Amino acid sequence: MVTDLKITLKIATPAGPFEGTFDAETKVHDVIAFVVKEKRLAKEDEYELARDGESLDPDKALSTLDIKDGDVLDLVASGSAV
């Protein structure tokens, strides 16, 4: 399904707040990679995107997770280094 729907997200990161607009079909792992690059976070760390404390499936598109324009998410470091 091709869509021009855009979703603006506010994301809390270890390096401060980030706000960006993504296609609704963008996968969570692509959002994470973009924010890590933009905020210059440590690339060797692993990150998860979460909403209300629940980790989002990295292989799902934003539109399939009922993510809406203006939602606030958290980018959190995960893995053994945390």
Side-chain angles (χ1 to χ4, degrees):
M1 180 174 156
V2 177
T3 179
D4 292 332
L5 183 64
K6 303 283 187 187
I7 298 174
T8 299
L9 299 174
K10 295 175 183 177
I11 301 172
T13 79
F18 171 87
E19 186 170 326
T21 302
F22 301 91
D23 289 327
E25 298 307 310
T26 303
K27 296 199 180 220
V28 170
H29 65 81
D30 292 325
V31 173
I32 293 169
F34 185 81
V35 175
V36 167
K37 181 180 176 188
E38 288 296 307
K39 294 301 281 184
R40 298 182 178 160
L41 299 172
K43 292 180 181 136
E44 63 274 5
D45 289 346
E46 292 183 27
Y47 298 92
E48 293 179 351
L49 204 54
R51 176 178 49 188
D52 298 327
E54 295 288 324
S55 182
L56 301 175
D57 184 335
D59 295 320
K60 298 270 185 168
L62 297 173
S63 62
T64 65
L65 295 168
D66 198 31
I67 303 289
K68 294 181 178 45
D69 196 51
D71 277 359
V72 178
L73 305 175
D74 296 301
L75 182 72
V76 293
S78 62
S80 59
V82 178

